Amino acid sequence: MTATAQDIAAAAQALREGELVAFPTETVYGLGADATNDQAVARVYAAKGRPAFNPLIAHVASSDAAFELGEFGPEAQALARAFWPGPLSLVVPRTADCKVSLLASAGLDSIAIRVPAHPTALALLAAAGRPVVAPSANPSGRISPTTAEHVRRHLRDRVAVVLDGGRCSVGVESTVVSLLDGGPKLLRHGGVPRAAIEKVLGHSIPAETHAARPHGPGQLLSHYAPHAELRLNAEAPRAGEAYLGFGPLHAHGSWTLSASGDLVEAAANLFRLLHDIDATGVACIAVAPVPHRGLGEAINDRLLRAAAPREPA
């Protein structure tokens, strides 16, 4: 059921009162809190069981609002113009008077910001009148939610309001690019392919997608994990395994990321299908090879993290 104007107004009020609100973006559903309220930000970490050193992304309604929070050099401005609203988060130095809680920045002097491309998200941000931190609305390290039902199933009473905006169109988190000293770096593959970013910048950018103490979201090695183990690049399942294919359905099972081999469709389906298969109680999910190009980079990044040895909570 699509969120109404009254639902959005109620959610905005809940945010202003320090409550947690789940809402849709084009990437995944976010667990929102007032980014300027230290206690509200702390509630996000507690609700997710998220390591306190893992930074959060501040979501804002416009580029102008972003420019009040971070220092945007020429390359950051170029990326903002090209991809906002959209699934790209930029890590830039905090402004001297940045109002976002230092807890959201994990105590760093940088901040991750994005403008989401979803009408419900933008309406909520405008109504709240403040930046909103919004990591994926799921327990930390588990599969990200792409429907309101995923949020309700896993967070239950930890959220004051869940806004329903239907299924997320992109289905994987935003790409994260750092624009701190040393030049642009790709911190997380996501909804904007690296090639598109490099085209705007006019040069290639290195990737730094894993860090023991991240300076951007999504850099923990074990992340996005179902309860089942994952076996990647599997041409066929072994006994007792469920099979998640890529391409036409065949005798190996009833799940495929995209029957037509479309990487955009595969990205949008990834977390939903992992949720669905995990709900069957199977001990292991065998995943077919996914091409490592375009959004395939983001898909393979999520799968590698989901298959990694689990880090302690």
Side-chain angles (χ1 to χ4, degrees), residues 147-186:
T147 69
E149 177 54 33
H150 293 161
V151 179
R152 297 187 185 101
R153 185 188 310 163
H154 293 290
L155 292 182
R156 298 187 175 91
D157 58 356
R158 284 174 274 184
V159 182
V161 179
V162 178
L163 293 178
D164 194 339
R167 184 179 298 172
C168 299
S169 59
V170 174
V172 293
E173 287 84 352
S174 61
T175 303
V176 180
V177 173
S178 168
L179 293 122
L180 304 176
D181 292 341
K185 292 180 182 178
L186 180 71

mmCIF file of all heavy atoms in Angstrom, residues 147-186:
data_model
loop_
_atom_site.group_PDB
_atom_site.id
_atom_site.type_symbol
_atom_site.label_atom_id
_atom_site.label_comp_id
_atom_site.label_asym_id
_atom_site.label_seq_id
_atom_site.Cartn_x
_atom_site.Cartn_y
_atom_site.Cartn_z
ATOM 1 N N THR A 147 11.501 -4.346 0.101
ATOM 2 C CA THR A 147 10.062 -4.135 0.250
ATOM 3 C C THR A 147 9.774 -3.754 1.697
ATOM 4 O O THR A 147 10.576 -4.033 2.603
ATOM 5 C CB THR A 147 9.242 -5.395 -0.101
ATOM 6 O OG1 THR A 147 9.487 -6.403 0.903
ATOM 7 C CG2 THR A 147 9.593 -5.938 -1.479
ATOM 8 N N ALA A 148 8.612 -3.144 1.920
ATOM 9 C CA ALA A 148 8.218 -2.791 3.286
ATOM 10 C C ALA A 148 8.046 -4.046 4.140
ATOM 11 O O ALA A 148 8.323 -4.024 5.348
ATOM 12 C CB ALA A 148 6.927 -1.978 3.257
ATOM 13 N N GLU A 149 7.606 -5.132 3.528
ATOM 14 C CA GLU A 149 7.415 -6.373 4.278
ATOM 15 C C GLU A 149 8.736 -6.893 4.827
ATOM 16 O O GLU A 149 8.791 -7.423 5.949
ATOM 17 C CB GLU A 149 6.761 -7.435 3.397
ATOM 18 C CG GLU A 149 6.577 -8.793 4.060
ATOM 19 C CD GLU A 149 5.823 -8.728 5.381
ATOM 20 O OE1 GLU A 149 4.925 -7.863 5.533
ATOM 21 O OE2 GLU A 149 6.139 -9.541 6.278
ATOM 22 N N HIS A 150 9.826 -6.761 4.062
ATOM 23 C CA HIS A 150 11.143 -7.163 4.582
ATOM 24 C C HIS A 150 11.468 -6.402 5.859
ATOM 25 O O HIS A 150 11.994 -6.970 6.821
ATOM 26 C CB HIS A 150 12.235 -6.877 3.543
ATOM 27 C CG HIS A 150 12.155 -7.714 2.314
ATOM 28 N ND1 HIS A 150 12.778 -7.360 1.136
ATOM 29 C CD2 HIS A 150 11.526 -8.892 2.062
ATOM 30 C CE1 HIS A 150 12.547 -8.275 0.225
ATOM 31 N NE2 HIS A 150 11.779 -9.216 0.763
ATOM 32 N N VAL A 151 11.167 -5.112 5.884
ATOM 33 C CA VAL A 151 11.450 -4.290 7.063
ATOM 34 C C VAL A 151 10.628 -4.773 8.253
ATOM 35 O O VAL A 151 11.150 -4.983 9.354
ATOM 36 C CB VAL A 151 11.138 -2.807 6.787
ATOM 37 C CG1 VAL A 151 11.406 -1.975 8.041
ATOM 38 C CG2 VAL A 151 11.961 -2.291 5.616
ATOM 39 N N ARG A 152 9.323 -4.938 8.025
ATOM 40 C CA ARG A 152 8.442 -5.355 9.120
ATOM 41 C C ARG A 152 8.864 -6.713 9.676
ATOM 42 O O ARG A 152 8.814 -6.957 10.892
ATOM 43 C CB ARG A 152 6.994 -5.416 8.632
ATOM 44 C CG ARG A 152 6.435 -4.056 8.186
ATOM 45 C CD ARG A 152 4.951 -4.159 7.876
ATOM 46 N NE ARG A 152 4.428 -2.914 7.339
ATOM 47 C CZ ARG A 152 4.207 -2.702 6.047
ATOM 48 N NH1 ARG A 152 4.426 -3.664 5.166
ATOM 49 N NH2 ARG A 152 3.737 -1.543 5.634
ATOM 50 N N ARG A 153 9.301 -7.592 8.805
ATOM 51 C CA ARG A 153 9.658 -8.951 9.215
ATOM 52 C C ARG A 153 10.889 -8.951 10.121
ATOM 53 O O ARG A 153 10.960 -9.708 11.093
ATOM 54 C CB ARG A 153 9.932 -9.816 7.972
ATOM 55 C CG ARG A 153 10.208 -11.292 8.268
ATOM 56 C CD ARG A 153 10.647 -12.007 7.012
ATOM 57 N NE ARG A 153 9.757 -11.754 5.888
ATOM 58 C CZ ARG A 153 10.096 -11.993 4.622
ATOM 59 N NH1 ARG A 153 11.300 -12.445 4.316
ATOM 60 N NH2 ARG A 153 9.236 -11.760 3.648
ATOM 61 N N HIS A 154 11.853 -8.099 9.833
ATOM 62 C CA HIS A 154 13.139 -8.184 10.519
ATOM 63 C C HIS A 154 13.341 -7.147 11.622
ATOM 64 O O HIS A 154 14.129 -7.372 12.541
ATOM 65 C CB HIS A 154 14.276 -8.092 9.498
ATOM 66 C CG HIS A 154 14.343 -9.273 8.581
ATOM 67 N ND1 HIS A 154 14.720 -10.512 9.008
ATOM 68 C CD2 HIS A 154 14.034 -9.398 7.259
ATOM 69 C CE1 HIS A 154 14.670 -11.371 7.996
ATOM 70 N NE2 HIS A 154 14.252 -10.722 6.929
ATOM 71 N N LEU A 155 12.665 -6.006 11.546
ATOM 72 C CA LEU A 155 12.866 -4.976 12.573
ATOM 73 C C LEU A 155 11.681 -4.838 13.521
ATOM 74 O O LEU A 155 11.813 -4.283 14.602
ATOM 75 C CB LEU A 155 13.170 -3.621 11.915
ATOM 76 C CG LEU A 155 14.518 -3.541 11.201
ATOM 77 C CD1 LEU A 155 14.734 -2.146 10.632
ATOM 78 C CD2 LEU A 155 15.668 -3.899 12.141
ATOM 79 N N ARG A 156 10.522 -5.277 13.101
ATOM 80 C CA ARG A 156 9.324 -5.313 13.942
ATOM 81 C C ARG A 156 9.126 -4.016 14.731
ATOM 82 O O ARG A 156 8.956 -2.956 14.147
ATOM 83 C CB ARG A 156 9.366 -6.543 14.857
ATOM 84 C CG ARG A 156 9.382 -7.868 14.096
ATOM 85 C CD ARG A 156 9.261 -9.046 15.040
ATOM 86 N NE ARG A 156 9.156 -10.303 14.319
ATOM 87 C CZ ARG A 156 10.216 -11.042 13.985
ATOM 88 N NH1 ARG A 156 11.433 -10.668 14.347
ATOM 89 N NH2 ARG A 156 10.061 -12.172 13.323
ATOM 90 N N ASP A 157 9.148 -4.097 16.057
ATOM 91 C CA ASP A 157 8.787 -2.944 16.881
ATOM 92 C C ASP A 157 9.938 -1.968 17.095
ATOM 93 O O ASP A 157 9.827 -1.026 17.870
ATOM 94 C CB ASP A 157 8.251 -3.414 18.238
ATOM 95 C CG ASP A 157 9.234 -4.274 19.017
ATOM 96 O OD1 ASP A 157 10.317 -4.578 18.474
ATOM 97 O OD2 ASP A 157 8.919 -4.645 20.158
ATOM 98 N N ARG A 158 11.059 -2.173 16.406
ATOM 99 C CA ARG A 158 12.176 -1.228 16.540
ATOM 100 C C ARG A 158 11.972 0.028 15.693
ATOM 101 O O ARG A 158 12.751 0.969 15.770
ATOM 102 C CB ARG A 158 13.497 -1.916 16.164
ATOM 103 C CG ARG A 158 14.022 -2.848 17.242
ATOM 104 C CD ARG A 158 15.234 -3.619 16.802
ATOM 105 N NE ARG A 158 14.877 -4.832 16.089
ATOM 106 C CZ ARG A 158 15.743 -5.743 15.653
ATOM 107 N NH1 ARG A 158 17.047 -5.547 15.838
ATOM 108 N NH2 ARG A 158 15.330 -6.819 15.028
ATOM 109 N N VAL A 159 10.926 0.050 14.885
ATOM 110 C CA VAL A 159 10.653 1.173 13.989
ATOM 111 C C VAL A 159 9.287 1.753 14.326
ATOM 112 O O VAL A 159 8.299 1.023 14.440
ATOM 113 C CB VAL A 159 10.676 0.723 12.515
ATOM 114 C CG1 VAL A 159 10.453 1.901 11.587
ATOM 115 C CG2 VAL A 159 11.993 0.041 12.189
ATOM 116 N N ALA A 160 9.211 3.084 14.469
ATOM 117 C CA ALA A 160 7.941 3.729 14.809
ATOM 118 C C ALA A 160 6.988 3.744 13.628
ATOM 119 O O ALA A 160 5.776 3.559 13.780
ATOM 120 C CB ALA A 160 8.197 5.153 15.293
ATOM 121 N N VAL A 161 7.521 3.991 12.416
ATOM 122 C CA VAL A 161 6.701 4.090 11.209
ATOM 123 C C VAL A 161 7.424 3.395 10.065
ATOM 124 O O VAL A 161 8.640 3.550 9.916
ATOM 125 C CB VAL A 161 6.440 5.572 10.819
ATOM 126 C CG1 VAL A 161 5.595 5.647 9.547
ATOM 127 C CG2 VAL A 161 5.781 6.337 11.950
ATOM 128 N N VAL A 162 6.676 2.628 9.265
ATOM 129 C CA VAL A 162 7.209 2.055 8.028
ATOM 130 C C VAL A 162 6.400 2.626 6.865
ATOM 131 O O VAL A 162 5.205 2.374 6.755
ATOM 132 C CB VAL A 162 7.133 0.512 8.012
ATOM 133 C CG1 VAL A 162 7.654 -0.024 6.679
ATOM 134 C CG2 VAL A 162 7.911 -0.088 9.173
ATOM 135 N N LEU A 163 7.045 3.420 6.032
ATOM 136 C CA LEU A 163 6.386 3.953 4.833
ATOM 137 C C LEU A 163 6.535 2.950 3.695
ATOM 138 O O LEU A 163 7.649 2.507 3.396
ATOM 139 C CB LEU A 163 7.007 5.293 4.428
ATOM 140 C CG LEU A 163 6.796 6.468 5.377
ATOM 141 C CD1 LEU A 163 7.525 7.703 4.854
ATOM 142 C CD2 LEU A 163 5.313 6.762 5.559
ATOM 143 N N ASP A 164 5.437 2.617 3.066
ATOM 144 C CA ASP A 164 5.452 1.640 1.981
ATOM 145 C C ASP A 164 5.492 2.369 0.644
ATOM 146 O O ASP A 164 4.591 3.150 0.330
ATOM 147 C CB ASP A 164 4.214 0.751 2.069
ATOM 148 C CG ASP A 164 4.312 -0.489 1.188
ATOM 149 O OD1 ASP A 164 5.114 -0.472 0.227
ATOM 150 O OD2 ASP A 164 3.610 -1.469 1.479
ATOM 151 N N GLY A 165 6.530 2.126 -0.111
ATOM 152 C CA GLY A 165 6.636 2.713 -1.439
ATOM 153 C C GLY A 165 6.780 1.675 -2.524
ATOM 154 O O GLY A 165 7.267 1.970 -3.620
ATOM 155 N N GLY A 166 6.368 0.446 -2.216
ATOM 156 C CA GLY A 166 6.504 -0.629 -3.197
ATOM 157 C C GLY A 166 7.924 -1.163 -3.237
ATOM 158 O O GLY A 166 8.764 -0.853 -2.396
ATOM 159 N N ARG A 167 8.190 -1.984 -4.228
ATOM 160 C CA ARG A 167 9.513 -2.583 -4.369
ATOM 161 C C ARG A 167 10.516 -1.567 -4.891
ATOM 162 O O ARG A 167 10.201 -0.762 -5.769
ATOM 163 C CB ARG A 167 9.440 -3.776 -5.339
ATOM 164 C CG ARG A 167 10.755 -4.540 -5.480
ATOM 165 C CD ARG A 167 10.622 -5.704 -6.431
ATOM 166 N NE ARG A 167 9.646 -6.676 -5.939
ATOM 167 C CZ ARG A 167 9.216 -7.714 -6.654
ATOM 168 N NH1 ARG A 167 9.633 -7.885 -7.894
ATOM 169 N NH2 ARG A 167 8.336 -8.545 -6.129
ATOM 170 N N CYS A 168 11.721 -1.596 -4.364
ATOM 171 C CA CYS A 168 12.773 -0.665 -4.799
ATOM 172 C C CYS A 168 13.199 -0.984 -6.232
ATOM 173 O O CYS A 168 13.392 -2.144 -6.589
ATOM 174 C CB CYS A 168 13.974 -0.768 -3.873
ATOM 175 S SG CYS A 168 13.616 -0.360 -2.161
ATOM 176 N N SER A 169 13.355 0.048 -7.035
ATOM 177 C CA SER A 169 13.630 -0.149 -8.460
ATOM 178 C C SER A 169 15.070 -0.539 -8.746
ATOM 179 O O SER A 169 15.345 -1.300 -9.691
ATOM 180 C CB SER A 169 13.290 1.125 -9.239
ATOM 181 O OG SER A 169 14.046 2.224 -8.766
ATOM 182 N N VAL A 170 16.032 -0.043 -7.952
ATOM 183 C CA VAL A 170 17.442 -0.371 -8.188
ATOM 184 C C VAL A 170 17.814 -1.654 -7.458
ATOM 185 O O VAL A 170 18.392 -2.570 -8.039
ATOM 186 C CB VAL A 170 18.361 0.793 -7.751
ATOM 187 C CG1 VAL A 170 19.839 0.400 -7.868
ATOM 188 C CG2 VAL A 170 18.085 2.017 -8.614
ATOM 189 N N GLY A 171 17.505 -1.732 -6.175
ATOM 190 C CA GLY A 171 17.626 -2.995 -5.451
ATOM 191 C C GLY A 171 18.974 -3.294 -4.830
ATOM 192 O O GLY A 171 19.121 -4.283 -4.124
ATOM 193 N N VAL A 172 19.994 -2.493 -5.094
ATOM 194 C CA VAL A 172 21.257 -2.562 -4.352
ATOM 195 C C VAL A 172 21.573 -1.159 -3.848
ATOM 196 O O VAL A 172 21.079 -0.170 -4.392
ATOM 197 C CB VAL A 172 22.435 -3.088 -5.195
ATOM 198 C CG1 VAL A 172 22.242 -4.539 -5.564
ATOM 199 C CG2 VAL A 172 22.653 -2.242 -6.440
ATOM 200 N N GLU A 173 22.408 -1.081 -2.828
ATOM 201 C CA GLU A 173 22.683 0.206 -2.215
ATOM 202 C C GLU A 173 23.399 1.159 -3.178
ATOM 203 O O GLU A 173 23.838 0.773 -4.263
ATOM 204 C CB GLU A 173 23.540 0.022 -0.952
ATOM 205 C CG GLU A 173 22.793 -0.556 0.225
ATOM 206 C CD GLU A 173 22.713 -2.065 0.194
ATOM 207 O OE1 GLU A 173 23.110 -2.672 -0.826
ATOM 208 O OE2 GLU A 173 22.259 -2.650 1.187
ATOM 209 N N SER A 174 23.510 2.391 -2.752
ATOM 210 C CA SER A 174 24.170 3.398 -3.571
ATOM 211 C C SER A 174 25.657 3.103 -3.718
ATOM 212 O O SER A 174 26.288 2.508 -2.837
ATOM 213 C CB SER A 174 23.986 4.787 -2.947
ATOM 214 O OG SER A 174 24.563 4.828 -1.654
ATOM 215 N N THR A 175 26.207 3.505 -4.840
ATOM 216 C CA THR A 175 27.655 3.535 -5.003
ATOM 217 C C THR A 175 28.207 4.605 -4.057
ATOM 218 O O THR A 175 27.604 5.658 -3.895
ATOM 219 C CB THR A 175 28.012 3.891 -6.450
ATOM 220 O OG1 THR A 175 27.394 2.936 -7.319
ATOM 221 C CG2 THR A 175 29.512 3.885 -6.677
ATOM 222 N N VAL A 176 29.349 4.331 -3.432
ATOM 223 C CA VAL A 176 29.972 5.311 -2.540
ATOM 224 C C VAL A 176 31.333 5.697 -3.106
ATOM 225 O O VAL A 176 32.176 4.830 -3.356
ATOM 226 C CB VAL A 176 30.129 4.769 -1.103
ATOM 227 C CG1 VAL A 176 30.790 5.822 -0.212
ATOM 228 C CG2 VAL A 176 28.779 4.362 -0.528
ATOM 229 N N VAL A 177 31.533 7.002 -3.313
ATOM 230 C CA VAL A 177 32.801 7.532 -3.810
ATOM 231 C C VAL A 177 33.348 8.530 -2.799
ATOM 232 O O VAL A 177 32.641 9.442 -2.363
ATOM 233 C CB VAL A 177 32.626 8.210 -5.185
ATOM 234 C CG1 VAL A 177 33.910 8.919 -5.613
ATOM 235 C CG2 VAL A 177 32.212 7.184 -6.233
ATOM 236 N N SER A 178 34.597 8.347 -2.410
ATOM 237 C CA SER A 178 35.275 9.290 -1.522
ATOM 238 C C SER A 178 35.971 10.355 -2.351
ATOM 239 O O SER A 178 36.637 10.056 -3.346
ATOM 240 C CB SER A 178 36.308 8.552 -0.664
ATOM 241 O OG SER A 178 37.160 9.479 -0.006
ATOM 242 N N LEU A 179 35.820 11.615 -1.924
ATOM 243 C CA LEU A 179 36.507 12.735 -2.548
ATOM 244 C C LEU A 179 37.314 13.490 -1.501
ATOM 245 O O LEU A 179 37.315 14.709 -1.443
ATOM 246 C CB LEU A 179 35.501 13.648 -3.250
ATOM 247 C CG LEU A 179 34.854 12.937 -4.450
ATOM 248 C CD1 LEU A 179 33.351 12.897 -4.296
ATOM 249 C CD2 LEU A 179 35.267 13.564 -5.749
ATOM 250 N N LEU A 180 38.027 12.726 -0.691
ATOM 251 C CA LEU A 180 38.892 13.297 0.331
ATOM 252 C C LEU A 180 40.295 13.467 -0.260
ATOM 253 O O LEU A 180 40.497 13.316 -1.462
ATOM 254 C CB LEU A 180 38.901 12.391 1.561
ATOM 255 C CG LEU A 180 37.521 12.107 2.169
ATOM 256 C CD1 LEU A 180 37.632 11.116 3.319
ATOM 257 C CD2 LEU A 180 36.867 13.403 2.641
ATOM 258 N N ASP A 181 41.271 13.780 0.577
ATOM 259 C CA ASP A 181 42.642 13.965 0.094
ATOM 260 C C ASP A 181 43.119 12.730 -0.657
ATOM 261 O O ASP A 181 42.851 11.597 -0.243
ATOM 262 C CB ASP A 181 43.578 14.242 1.264
ATOM 263 C CG ASP A 181 43.309 15.591 1.919
ATOM 264 O OD1 ASP A 181 42.672 16.432 1.263
ATOM 265 O OD2 ASP A 181 43.718 15.783 3.077
ATOM 266 N N GLY A 182 43.835 12.947 -1.737
ATOM 267 C CA GLY A 182 44.344 11.829 -2.526
ATOM 268 C C GLY A 182 43.514 11.533 -3.752
ATOM 269 O O GLY A 182 43.863 10.656 -4.541
ATOM 270 N N GLY A 183 42.414 12.241 -3.942
ATOM 271 C CA GLY A 183 41.612 12.066 -5.138
ATOM 272 C C GLY A 183 40.490 11.072 -4.966
ATOM 273 O O GLY A 183 40.388 10.376 -3.946
ATOM 274 N N PRO A 184 39.590 10.983 -5.956
ATOM 275 C CA PRO A 184 38.418 10.110 -5.856
ATOM 276 C C PRO A 184 38.788 8.641 -5.704
ATOM 277 O O PRO A 184 39.718 8.154 -6.354
ATOM 278 C CB PRO A 184 37.687 10.358 -7.182
ATOM 279 C CG PRO A 184 38.211 11.657 -7.686
ATOM 280 C CD PRO A 184 39.614 11.750 -7.209
ATOM 281 N N LYS A 185 38.054 7.951 -4.850
ATOM 282 C CA LYS A 185 38.202 6.510 -4.667
ATOM 283 C C LYS A 185 36.818 5.880 -4.592
ATOM 284 O O LYS A 185 35.895 6.456 -3.997
ATOM 285 C CB LYS A 185 38.953 6.182 -3.375
ATOM 286 C CG LYS A 185 40.415 6.573 -3.366
ATOM 287 C CD LYS A 185 41.046 6.194 -2.034
ATOM 288 C CE LYS A 185 42.507 6.612 -1.977
ATOM 289 N NZ LYS A 185 43.118 6.284 -0.656
ATOM 290 N N LEU A 186 36.683 4.715 -5.172
ATOM 291 C CA LEU A 186 35.438 3.959 -5.071
ATOM 292 C C LEU A 186 35.474 3.152 -3.781
ATOM 293 O O LEU A 186 36.329 2.276 -3.611
ATOM 294 C CB LEU A 186 35.290 3.025 -6.270
ATOM 295 C CG LEU A 186 34.034 2.168 -6.293
ATOM 296 C CD1 LEU A 186 32.814 3.024 -6.576
ATOM 297 C CD2 LEU A 186 34.156 1.056 -7.321
#
